[in-house]
Amino acid sequence: MQLVEPRPPRPLPIRITPLIDVVFILLVFFMLTSHLLPTGFLELDSRVPEGDASGGTTRPELQLNASGQLRWQQQEWQLPALIQQLQRQGSDDINLGTAAETPLTDFTRTLSTLESAGISVHWRREPAPEQRREQ
């Protein structure tokens, strides 16, 4: 005969530390085994109009250098004048190349100005000089 009732069993708390350890080990494993693709060429718009696959027309090639200057057809251009010239020629699709050292602010300003003028932009980043030597 028991005079004292036994205490109800308390649920054991779940220890979170081993779970966190397992998550971090999985994170490190996937970080080490994943392969990141090179981003030397990033096409911002992949839509191709019909009939353009034959390569009948070429896109104008613009270059944005590290100082923020636009270069097209072997001469420097101011952005408003360049947009007017492209619109006169009927070019609504261009390739924009940037140097590896081009500031992000200059790139985004140029890209947004061209896009707001109705010009579709495809972007290609030139590799840094030390990356060019390795390839």
Side-chain angles (χ1 to χ4, degrees):
M1 171 157 101
Q2 246 182 348
L3 297 176
V4 181
E5 288 187 31
R7 290 174 36 191
R10 290 189 315 182
L12 292 173
I14 296 175
R15 296 193 181 165
I16 205 90
T17 305
L19 295 175
I20 292 174
D21 290 344
V22 168
V23 168
F24 281 128
I25 289 171
L26 287 173
L27 177 68
V28 169
F29 172 76
F30 286 116
M31 286 172 54
L32 293 175
T33 59
S34 66
H35 176 69
L36 298 177
L37 296 176
T39 57
F41 183 76
L42 176 66
E43 192 166 326
L44 298 177
D45 185 9
S46 61
R47 291 174 285 158
V48 178
E50 284 189 34
D52 205 21
S54 65
T57 60
T58 60
R59 294 182 189 134
E61 297 277 339
L62 279 64
Q63 183 67 30
L64 183 63
N65 60 22
S67 63
Q69 291 292 326
L70 277 169
R71 191 161 180 74
W72 181 47
Q73 297 177 340
Q74 277 56 22
Q75 62 182 9
E76 302 282 330
W77 290 82
Q78 296 295 325
L79 191 54
L82 179 63
I83 290 173
Q84 288 178 353
Q85 182 65 25
L86 288 170
Q87 288 173 339
R88 269 190 235 124
Q89 287 187 348
S91 298
D92 60 351
D93 201 21
I94 63 163
N95 289 334
L96 177 64
T98 59
E101 339 34 73
T102 302
L104 182 61
T105 54
D106 293 339
F107 171 71
T108 54
R109 178 183 49 82
T110 304
L111 180 68
S112 62
T113 305
L114 288 167
E115 290 280 340
S116 66
I119 299 172
S120 179
V121 179
H122 303 274
W123 173 59
R124 183 177 192 284
R125 179 176 173 246
E126 296 294 325
E130 57 272 357
Q131 289 177 340
R132 281 187 226 138
R133 279 182 262 146
E134 292 173 1
Q135 294 175 351

mmCIF file of all heavy atoms in Angstrom, residues 72-112:
data_model
loop_
_atom_site.group_PDB
_atom_site.id
_atom_site.type_symbol
_atom_site.label_atom_id
_atom_site.label_comp_id
_atom_site.label_asym_id
_atom_site.label_seq_id
_atom_site.Cartn_x
_atom_site.Cartn_y
_atom_site.Cartn_z
ATOM 1 N N TRP A 72 31.080 54.072 -77.777
ATOM 2 C CA TRP A 72 30.383 53.403 -78.869
ATOM 3 C C TRP A 72 30.963 53.898 -80.177
ATOM 4 O O TRP A 72 31.155 55.107 -80.355
ATOM 5 C CB TRP A 72 28.886 53.677 -78.788
ATOM 6 C CG TRP A 72 28.070 53.017 -79.851
ATOM 7 C CD1 TRP A 72 28.137 51.724 -80.251
ATOM 8 C CD2 TRP A 72 27.053 53.624 -80.648
ATOM 9 N NE1 TRP A 72 27.224 51.477 -81.242
ATOM 10 C CE2 TRP A 72 26.542 52.630 -81.506
ATOM 11 C CE3 TRP A 72 26.523 54.895 -80.727
ATOM 12 C CZ2 TRP A 72 25.535 52.874 -82.427
ATOM 13 C CZ3 TRP A 72 25.522 55.148 -81.634
ATOM 14 C CH2 TRP A 72 25.028 54.141 -82.466
ATOM 15 N N GLN A 73 31.262 53.005 -81.093
ATOM 16 C CA GLN A 73 31.832 53.324 -82.400
ATOM 17 C C GLN A 73 33.101 54.162 -82.271
ATOM 18 O O GLN A 73 33.264 55.191 -82.902
ATOM 19 C CB GLN A 73 30.802 54.024 -83.289
ATOM 20 C CG GLN A 73 29.609 53.165 -83.613
ATOM 21 C CD GLN A 73 28.571 53.897 -84.436
ATOM 22 O OE1 GLN A 73 28.549 55.127 -84.476
ATOM 23 N NE2 GLN A 73 27.717 53.139 -85.094
ATOM 24 N N GLN A 74 33.988 53.757 -81.381
ATOM 25 C CA GLN A 74 35.304 54.372 -81.153
ATOM 26 C C GLN A 74 35.227 55.833 -80.707
ATOM 27 O O GLN A 74 36.146 56.611 -80.947
ATOM 28 C CB GLN A 74 36.193 54.291 -82.405
ATOM 29 C CG GLN A 74 36.933 53.006 -82.630
ATOM 30 C CD GLN A 74 36.071 51.768 -82.682
ATOM 31 O OE1 GLN A 74 34.894 51.862 -82.946
ATOM 32 N NE2 GLN A 74 36.629 50.611 -82.425
ATOM 33 N N GLN A 75 34.152 56.230 -80.053
ATOM 34 C CA GLN A 75 34.104 57.582 -79.493
ATOM 35 C C GLN A 75 33.309 57.596 -78.193
ATOM 36 O O GLN A 75 32.492 56.718 -77.943
ATOM 37 C CB GLN A 75 33.529 58.587 -80.487
ATOM 38 C CG GLN A 75 32.102 58.331 -80.911
ATOM 39 C CD GLN A 75 31.650 59.356 -81.945
ATOM 40 O OE1 GLN A 75 32.448 60.133 -82.436
ATOM 41 N NE2 GLN A 75 30.383 59.358 -82.269
ATOM 42 N N GLU A 76 33.599 58.588 -77.364
ATOM 43 C CA GLU A 76 32.927 58.757 -76.073
ATOM 44 C C GLU A 76 31.577 59.444 -76.301
ATOM 45 O O GLU A 76 31.463 60.334 -77.138
ATOM 46 C CB GLU A 76 33.784 59.628 -75.134
ATOM 47 C CG GLU A 76 35.172 59.086 -74.877
ATOM 48 C CD GLU A 76 35.180 57.953 -73.882
ATOM 49 O OE1 GLU A 76 34.312 57.940 -72.993
ATOM 50 O OE2 GLU A 76 36.052 57.077 -74.007
ATOM 51 N N TRP A 77 30.575 59.017 -75.529
ATOM 52 C CA TRP A 77 29.233 59.573 -75.659
ATOM 53 C C TRP A 77 28.700 59.961 -74.287
ATOM 54 O O TRP A 77 28.962 59.288 -73.300
ATOM 55 C CB TRP A 77 28.276 58.541 -76.253
ATOM 56 C CG TRP A 77 28.502 58.222 -77.684
ATOM 57 C CD1 TRP A 77 29.409 57.362 -78.206
ATOM 58 C CD2 TRP A 77 27.788 58.762 -78.795
ATOM 59 N NE1 TRP A 77 29.310 57.321 -79.568
ATOM 60 C CE2 TRP A 77 28.324 58.170 -79.955
ATOM 61 C CE3 TRP A 77 26.756 59.682 -78.929
ATOM 62 C CZ2 TRP A 77 27.858 58.471 -81.227
ATOM 63 C CZ3 TRP A 77 26.291 59.973 -80.208
ATOM 64 C CH2 TRP A 77 26.839 59.378 -81.332
ATOM 65 N N GLN A 78 27.906 61.024 -74.269
ATOM 66 C CA GLN A 78 27.094 61.337 -73.102
ATOM 67 C C GLN A 78 25.813 60.524 -73.242
ATOM 68 O O GLN A 78 25.329 60.305 -74.354
ATOM 69 C CB GLN A 78 26.776 62.837 -73.033
ATOM 70 C CG GLN A 78 28.000 63.706 -72.841
ATOM 71 C CD GLN A 78 28.660 63.456 -71.503
ATOM 72 O OE1 GLN A 78 27.992 63.185 -70.503
ATOM 73 N NE2 GLN A 78 29.978 63.516 -71.476
ATOM 74 N N LEU A 79 25.253 60.088 -72.123
ATOM 75 C CA LEU A 79 24.109 59.185 -72.163
ATOM 76 C C LEU A 79 22.901 59.756 -72.908
ATOM 77 O O LEU A 79 22.330 59.068 -73.757
ATOM 78 C CB LEU A 79 23.738 58.760 -70.744
ATOM 79 C CG LEU A 79 22.734 57.630 -70.612
ATOM 80 C CD1 LEU A 79 23.182 56.402 -71.388
ATOM 81 C CD2 LEU A 79 22.522 57.278 -69.159
ATOM 82 N N PRO A 80 22.482 61.014 -72.675
ATOM 83 C CA PRO A 80 21.313 61.528 -73.428
ATOM 84 C C PRO A 80 21.549 61.575 -74.943
ATOM 85 O O PRO A 80 20.672 61.209 -75.727
ATOM 86 C CB PRO A 80 21.101 62.937 -72.865
ATOM 87 C CG PRO A 80 21.763 62.918 -71.523
ATOM 88 C CD PRO A 80 22.909 61.976 -71.646
ATOM 89 N N ALA A 81 22.737 61.992 -75.354
ATOM 90 C CA ALA A 81 23.040 62.054 -76.790
ATOM 91 C C ALA A 81 23.080 60.652 -77.394
ATOM 92 O O ALA A 81 22.630 60.427 -78.530
ATOM 93 C CB ALA A 81 24.373 62.766 -77.009
ATOM 94 N N LEU A 82 23.595 59.700 -76.649
ATOM 95 C CA LEU A 82 23.665 58.321 -77.130
ATOM 96 C C LEU A 82 22.265 57.735 -77.304
ATOM 97 O O LEU A 82 21.986 57.057 -78.297
ATOM 98 C CB LEU A 82 24.482 57.467 -76.165
ATOM 99 C CG LEU A 82 24.618 55.997 -76.525
ATOM 100 C CD1 LEU A 82 25.357 55.840 -77.840
ATOM 101 C CD2 LEU A 82 25.322 55.250 -75.423
ATOM 102 N N ILE A 83 21.384 58.003 -76.356
ATOM 103 C CA ILE A 83 20.003 57.506 -76.459
ATOM 104 C C ILE A 83 19.323 58.090 -77.695
ATOM 105 O O ILE A 83 18.655 57.370 -78.441
ATOM 106 C CB ILE A 83 19.216 57.827 -75.174
ATOM 107 C CG1 ILE A 83 19.748 56.962 -74.026
ATOM 108 C CG2 ILE A 83 17.728 57.596 -75.370
ATOM 109 C CD1 ILE A 83 19.159 57.313 -72.681
ATOM 110 N N GLN A 84 19.527 59.375 -77.942
ATOM 111 C CA GLN A 84 18.935 59.998 -79.133
ATOM 112 C C GLN A 84 19.472 59.362 -80.408
ATOM 113 O O GLN A 84 18.719 59.093 -81.344
ATOM 114 C CB GLN A 84 19.217 61.502 -79.143
ATOM 115 C CG GLN A 84 18.429 62.270 -78.111
ATOM 116 C CD GLN A 84 18.785 63.752 -78.120
ATOM 117 O OE1 GLN A 84 19.709 64.183 -78.807
ATOM 118 N NE2 GLN A 84 18.041 64.523 -77.344
ATOM 119 N N GLN A 85 20.775 59.103 -80.453
ATOM 120 C CA GLN A 85 21.377 58.498 -81.640
ATOM 121 C C GLN A 85 20.859 57.080 -81.850
ATOM 122 O O GLN A 85 20.562 56.678 -82.980
ATOM 123 C CB GLN A 85 22.905 58.498 -81.505
ATOM 124 C CG GLN A 85 23.628 57.944 -82.697
ATOM 125 C CD GLN A 85 23.446 58.802 -83.950
ATOM 126 O OE1 GLN A 85 23.190 60.002 -83.867
ATOM 127 N NE2 GLN A 85 23.576 58.180 -85.110
ATOM 128 N N LEU A 86 20.744 56.310 -80.774
ATOM 129 C CA LEU A 86 20.226 54.944 -80.895
ATOM 130 C C LEU A 86 18.774 54.942 -81.363
ATOM 131 O O LEU A 86 18.375 54.106 -82.179
ATOM 132 C CB LEU A 86 20.345 54.215 -79.562
ATOM 133 C CG LEU A 86 21.763 53.824 -79.125
ATOM 134 C CD1 LEU A 86 21.755 53.336 -77.684
ATOM 135 C CD2 LEU A 86 22.341 52.780 -80.052
ATOM 136 N N GLN A 87 17.983 55.871 -80.859
ATOM 137 C CA GLN A 87 16.585 55.959 -81.274
ATOM 138 C C GLN A 87 16.474 56.393 -82.726
ATOM 139 O O GLN A 87 15.585 55.938 -83.443
ATOM 140 C CB GLN A 87 15.815 56.900 -80.343
ATOM 141 C CG GLN A 87 15.594 56.298 -78.970
ATOM 142 C CD GLN A 87 14.984 57.270 -77.979
ATOM 143 O OE1 GLN A 87 15.051 58.486 -78.147
ATOM 144 N NE2 GLN A 87 14.399 56.729 -76.923
ATOM 145 N N ARG A 88 17.374 57.283 -83.187
ATOM 146 C CA ARG A 88 17.368 57.688 -84.600
ATOM 147 C C ARG A 88 17.666 56.499 -85.510
ATOM 148 O O ARG A 88 17.110 56.389 -86.596
ATOM 149 C CB ARG A 88 18.408 58.787 -84.850
ATOM 150 C CG ARG A 88 17.845 60.166 -84.693
ATOM 151 C CD ARG A 88 18.817 61.215 -85.182
ATOM 152 N NE ARG A 88 19.009 62.146 -84.075
ATOM 153 C CZ ARG A 88 20.157 62.482 -83.523
ATOM 154 N NH1 ARG A 88 21.280 62.003 -83.992
ATOM 155 N NH2 ARG A 88 20.213 63.303 -82.513
ATOM 156 N N GLN A 89 18.541 55.617 -85.052
ATOM 157 C CA GLN A 89 18.898 54.441 -85.844
ATOM 158 C C GLN A 89 17.863 53.334 -85.728
ATOM 159 O O GLN A 89 17.943 52.343 -86.445
ATOM 160 C CB GLN A 89 20.248 53.880 -85.389
ATOM 161 C CG GLN A 89 21.412 54.706 -85.805
ATOM 162 C CD GLN A 89 22.721 54.017 -85.470
ATOM 163 O OE1 GLN A 89 22.762 53.031 -84.744
ATOM 164 N NE2 GLN A 89 23.808 54.539 -86.002
ATOM 165 N N GLY A 90 16.945 53.462 -84.794
ATOM 166 C CA GLY A 90 15.930 52.437 -84.604
ATOM 167 C C GLY A 90 16.434 51.254 -83.780
ATOM 168 O O GLY A 90 15.862 50.168 -83.844
ATOM 169 N N SER A 91 17.496 51.450 -83.021
ATOM 170 C CA SER A 91 18.048 50.379 -82.184
ATOM 171 C C SER A 91 17.319 50.367 -80.848
ATOM 172 O O SER A 91 17.428 51.302 -80.068
ATOM 173 C CB SER A 91 19.538 50.606 -81.935
ATOM 174 O OG SER A 91 20.246 50.582 -83.141
ATOM 175 N N ASP A 92 16.551 49.305 -80.614
ATOM 176 C CA ASP A 92 15.875 49.194 -79.326
ATOM 177 C C ASP A 92 16.399 47.997 -78.538
ATOM 178 O O ASP A 92 15.827 47.604 -77.530
ATOM 179 C CB ASP A 92 14.366 49.090 -79.509
ATOM 180 C CG ASP A 92 13.969 47.883 -80.342
ATOM 181 O OD1 ASP A 92 14.862 47.239 -80.906
ATOM 182 O OD2 ASP A 92 12.762 47.593 -80.420
ATOM 183 N N ASP A 93 17.535 47.437 -78.985
ATOM 184 C CA ASP A 93 18.126 46.269 -78.347
ATOM 185 C C ASP A 93 19.642 46.412 -78.467
ATOM 186 O O ASP A 93 20.177 46.467 -79.575
ATOM 187 C CB ASP A 93 17.645 45.013 -79.087
ATOM 188 C CG ASP A 93 17.773 43.767 -78.259
ATOM 189 O OD1 ASP A 93 17.844 43.882 -77.023
ATOM 190 O OD2 ASP A 93 17.794 42.682 -78.849
ATOM 191 N N ILE A 94 20.365 46.500 -77.329
ATOM 192 C CA ILE A 94 21.807 46.733 -77.369
ATOM 193 C C ILE A 94 22.531 45.760 -76.441
ATOM 194 O O ILE A 94 21.925 45.167 -75.554
ATOM 195 C CB ILE A 94 22.164 48.178 -76.958
ATOM 196 C CG1 ILE A 94 21.759 48.434 -75.507
ATOM 197 C CG2 ILE A 94 21.570 49.195 -77.898
ATOM 198 C CD1 ILE A 94 22.415 49.629 -74.893
ATOM 199 N N ASN A 95 23.839 45.643 -76.657
ATOM 200 C CA ASN A 95 24.730 44.930 -75.742
ATOM 201 C C ASN A 95 25.522 45.975 -74.976
ATOM 202 O O ASN A 95 26.073 46.899 -75.574
ATOM 203 C CB ASN A 95 25.689 44.020 -76.492
ATOM 204 C CG ASN A 95 25.002 42.819 -77.078
ATOM 205 O OD1 ASN A 95 23.978 42.386 -76.581
ATOM 206 N ND2 ASN A 95 25.553 42.284 -78.155
ATOM 207 N N LEU A 96 25.586 45.822 -73.661
ATOM 208 C CA LEU A 96 26.337 46.743 -72.817
ATOM 209 C C LEU A 96 27.427 45.967 -72.113
ATOM 210 O O LEU A 96 27.149 45.052 -71.345
ATOM 211 C CB LEU A 96 25.409 47.405 -71.783
ATOM 212 C CG LEU A 96 26.076 48.343 -70.779
ATOM 213 C CD1 LEU A 96 26.685 49.546 -71.494
ATOM 214 C CD2 LEU A 96 25.081 48.795 -69.733
ATOM 215 N N GLY A 97 28.666 46.326 -72.393
ATOM 216 C CA GLY A 97 29.804 45.703 -71.725
ATOM 217 C C GLY A 97 30.332 46.641 -70.661
ATOM 218 O O GLY A 97 30.320 47.863 -70.831
ATOM 219 N N THR A 98 30.777 46.075 -69.555
ATOM 220 C CA THR A 98 31.355 46.895 -68.489
ATOM 221 C C THR A 98 32.713 46.344 -68.119
ATOM 222 O O THR A 98 32.948 45.143 -68.194
ATOM 223 C CB THR A 98 30.474 46.910 -67.227
ATOM 224 O OG1 THR A 98 30.319 45.584 -66.753
ATOM 225 C CG2 THR A 98 29.122 47.522 -67.505
ATOM 226 N N ALA A 99 33.594 47.242 -67.703
ATOM 227 C CA ALA A 99 34.888 46.821 -67.177
ATOM 228 C C ALA A 99 34.664 46.238 -65.792
ATOM 229 O O ALA A 99 33.652 46.510 -65.138
ATOM 230 C CB ALA A 99 35.834 48.014 -67.114
ATOM 231 N N ALA A 100 35.599 45.430 -65.335
ATOM 232 C CA ALA A 100 35.461 44.800 -64.017
ATOM 233 C C ALA A 100 35.452 45.842 -62.905
ATOM 234 O O ALA A 100 34.839 45.642 -61.862
ATOM 235 C CB ALA A 100 36.593 43.806 -63.798
ATOM 236 N N GLU A 101 36.103 46.973 -63.135
ATOM 237 C CA GLU A 101 36.173 47.995 -62.089
ATOM 238 C C GLU A 101 35.078 49.057 -62.183
ATOM 239 O O GLU A 101 35.103 50.032 -61.447
ATOM 240 C CB GLU A 101 37.467 48.755 -62.087
ATOM 241 C CG GLU A 101 38.781 48.394 -62.652
ATOM 242 C CD GLU A 101 38.953 47.596 -63.890
ATOM 243 O OE1 GLU A 101 38.704 48.138 -64.972
ATOM 244 O OE2 GLU A 101 39.381 46.461 -63.813
ATOM 245 N N THR A 102 34.123 48.897 -63.079
ATOM 246 C CA THR A 102 33.048 49.877 -63.233
ATOM 247 C C THR A 102 32.216 49.953 -61.953
ATOM 248 O O THR A 102 31.762 48.929 -61.456
ATOM 249 C CB THR A 102 32.134 49.500 -64.410
ATOM 250 O OG1 THR A 102 32.923 49.423 -65.590
ATOM 251 C CG2 THR A 102 31.037 50.528 -64.605
ATOM 252 N N PRO A 103 32.011 51.160 -61.415
ATOM 253 C CA PRO A 103 31.199 51.276 -60.193
ATOM 254 C C PRO A 103 29.748 50.855 -60.444
ATOM 255 O O PRO A 103 29.187 51.094 -61.516
ATOM 256 C CB PRO A 103 31.270 52.765 -59.859
ATOM 257 C CG PRO A 103 32.449 53.293 -60.603
ATOM 258 C CD PRO A 103 32.602 52.433 -61.812
ATOM 259 N N LEU A 104 29.168 50.241 -59.449
ATOM 260 C CA LEU A 104 27.789 49.765 -59.552
ATOM 261 C C LEU A 104 26.819 50.917 -59.774
ATOM 262 O O LEU A 104 25.845 50.782 -60.504
ATOM 263 C CB LEU A 104 27.412 48.982 -58.298
ATOM 264 C CG LEU A 104 26.015 48.379 -58.269
ATOM 265 C CD1 LEU A 104 25.841 47.381 -59.407
ATOM 266 C CD2 LEU A 104 25.744 47.723 -56.934
ATOM 267 N N THR A 105 27.096 52.063 -59.179
ATOM 268 C CA THR A 105 26.193 53.209 -59.345
ATOM 269 C C THR A 105 26.137 53.663 -60.802
ATOM 270 O O THR A 105 25.060 53.965 -61.309
ATOM 271 C CB THR A 105 26.632 54.386 -58.453
ATOM 272 O OG1 THR A 105 28.005 54.692 -58.720
ATOM 273 C CG2 THR A 105 26.467 54.048 -56.985
ATOM 274 N N ASP A 106 27.286 53.694 -61.476
ATOM 275 C CA ASP A 106 27.307 54.091 -62.888
ATOM 276 C C ASP A 106 26.565 53.073 -63.745
ATOM 277 O O ASP A 106 25.827 53.435 -64.663
ATOM 278 C CB ASP A 106 28.744 54.232 -63.392
ATOM 279 C CG ASP A 106 29.473 55.393 -62.751
ATOM 280 O OD1 ASP A 106 28.791 56.309 -62.248
ATOM 281 O OD2 ASP A 106 30.710 55.382 -62.744
ATOM 282 N N PHE A 107 26.766 51.784 -63.441
ATOM 283 C CA PHE A 107 26.083 50.746 -64.199
ATOM 284 C C PHE A 107 24.571 50.823 -64.033
ATOM 285 O O PHE A 107 23.825 50.802 -65.010
ATOM 286 C CB PHE A 107 26.589 49.360 -63.779
ATOM 287 C CG PHE A 107 25.782 48.240 -64.354
ATOM 288 C CD1 PHE A 107 25.837 47.937 -65.696
ATOM 289 C CD2 PHE A 107 24.930 47.495 -63.551
ATOM 290 C CE1 PHE A 107 25.091 46.906 -66.236
ATOM 291 C CE2 PHE A 107 24.181 46.468 -64.071
ATOM 292 C CZ PHE A 107 24.262 46.171 -65.416
ATOM 293 N N THR A 108 24.091 50.928 -62.790
ATOM 294 C CA THR A 108 22.640 50.960 -62.575
ATOM 295 C C THR A 108 22.016 52.228 -63.140
ATOM 296 O O THR A 108 20.908 52.178 -63.670
ATOM 297 C CB THR A 108 22.304 50.825 -61.080
ATOM 298 O OG1 THR A 108 23.016 51.812 -60.336
ATOM 299 C CG2 THR A 108 22.650 49.448 -60.566
ATOM 300 N N ARG A 109 22.729 53.349 -63.050
ATOM 301 C CA ARG A 109 22.205 54.594 -63.623
ATOM 302 C C ARG A 109 22.076 54.458 -65.134
ATOM 303 O O ARG A 109 21.038 54.788 -65.718
ATOM 304 C CB ARG A 109 23.118 55.768 -63.272
ATOM 305 C CG ARG A 109 22.667 57.099 -63.876
ATOM 306 C CD ARG A 109 23.634 58.225 -63.558
ATOM 307 N NE ARG A 109 25.026 57.908 -63.811
ATOM 308 C CZ ARG A 109 25.610 57.984 -65.004
ATOM 309 N NH1 ARG A 109 24.920 58.362 -66.052
ATOM 310 N NH2 ARG A 109 26.888 57.695 -65.154
ATOM 311 N N THR A 110 23.103 53.923 -65.781
ATOM 312 C CA THR A 110 23.077 53.744 -67.233
ATOM 313 C C THR A 110 22.001 52.751 -67.642
ATOM 314 O O THR A 110 21.222 52.995 -68.571
ATOM 315 C CB THR A 110 24.458 53.264 -67.730
ATOM 316 O OG1 THR A 110 25.448 54.208 -67.313
ATOM 317 C CG2 THR A 110 24.480 53.117 -69.228
ATOM 318 N N LEU A 111 21.944 51.625 -66.935
ATOM 319 C CA LEU A 111 20.962 50.592 -67.257
ATOM 320 C C LEU A 111 19.538 51.117 -67.109
ATOM 321 O O LEU A 111 18.699 50.932 -67.994
ATOM 322 C CB LEU A 111 21.176 49.371 -66.357
ATOM 323 C CG LEU A 111 20.226 48.202 -66.572
ATOM 324 C CD1 LEU A 111 20.472 47.565 -67.925
ATOM 325 C CD2 LEU A 111 20.373 47.194 -65.465
ATOM 326 N N SER A 112 19.247 51.788 -66.004
ATOM 327 C CA SER A 112 17.876 52.266 -65.792
ATOM 328 C C SER A 112 17.510 53.369 -66.778
ATOM 329 O O SER A 112 16.366 53.434 -67.236
ATOM 330 C CB SER A 112 17.697 52.740 -64.348
ATOM 331 O OG SER A 112 18.560 53.817 -64.067
#
